[in-house]
Each structure stands twice: as structure tokens, then as C-alpha cells.
């Protein structure tokens, strides 16, 4: 069995335990959703919106794609847990889920912190 790395870097943060198979599956699905350039850009548009939410029409206006194609990409981002939505009258508003984005980034930060620096050339 692989033993966890002991904490002890100057910053105090280390990757203390490798991720489980279930965590890897869940994170993989999230990364897969973001691996598409259109979905990555949609997630960025929504997450960076000062209002904290964006309606489907505003998102669609940023792309030269059909409404159904944008809806497909938004569905994939919702299924991955990166975005959430709320219907109001005839419009659907999308907002980022910061807890899920942090869940996505957290293990990578731990891996980066625990990685050994390259040997000097």
C-alpha cells in the first residue's frame, strides 16, 4: 500500500493522501466536461460574470453556434456539477458552483505542492 506523504513543507501544505478511485472517477468526469473548448469558455463566461449569473441567451450570443448546441454544452456542465441553473419565467439562468470548482482544483493544488522540483541541469 502507498503510504501518505508526511506534511512538512515550509508552507505546511502537502498532498497527504492519494485520491480514491471514486474521487478520480468524479474528477475525471468534471475534467472531461471542461476539456471541450466551448464548454471551458462557457464555464469561464458564467464564472467571471459580475452579476454571478448569466441567462442562456447571453451565453448563446457569445458563440456562432445554434441554441440546441449551446444547450447541450450547458447540460454537460450541469451534469458534471460545474454549473447550476434556475428557470425564471421564459429564461434559464446559469451560475457557477464555487464549491465544485474548489473540489476540482483542490487535489491538483495538493499534487503540485507535493511534487518534487526538477533536478538542476
Amino acid at each position: 500500500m502507498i503510504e501518505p506523504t508526511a506534511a512538512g513543507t515550509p508552507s505546511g501544505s502537502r498532498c497527504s493522501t492519494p485520491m480514491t478511485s471514486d474521487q478520480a472517477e468524479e474528477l475525471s468526469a468534471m475534467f472531461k466536461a471542461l476539456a471541450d473548448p466551448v464548454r471551458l469558455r462557457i464555464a469561464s463566461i458564467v464564472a467571471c460574470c459580475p452579476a454571478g449569473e448569466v441567462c442562456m441567451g447571453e451565453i448563446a450570443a457569445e458563440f456562432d453556434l445554434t441554441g440546441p448546441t449551446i444547450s447541450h454544452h450547458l447540460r454537460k456542465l450541469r451534469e458534471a456539477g460545474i454549473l447550476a441553473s434556475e428557470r425564471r419565467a421564459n429564461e434559464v439562468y446559469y451560475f457557477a458552483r464555487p464549491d465544485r470548482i474548489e473540489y476540482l482544483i483542490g487535489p491538483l493544488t495538493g499534487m503540485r505542492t507535493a511534487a518534487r522540483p526538477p533536478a538542476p541541469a
Side-chain angles (χ1 to χ4, degrees), residues 56-78:
M56 197 308 204
E58 292 174 311
I59 295 168
E62 295 292 321
F63 297 90
D64 188 24
L65 299 169
T66 66
T69 300
I70 296 295
S71 291
H72 165 78
H73 289 302
L74 286 164
R75 180 175 52 84
K76 292 292 188 181
L77 290 167
R78 278 193 330 270

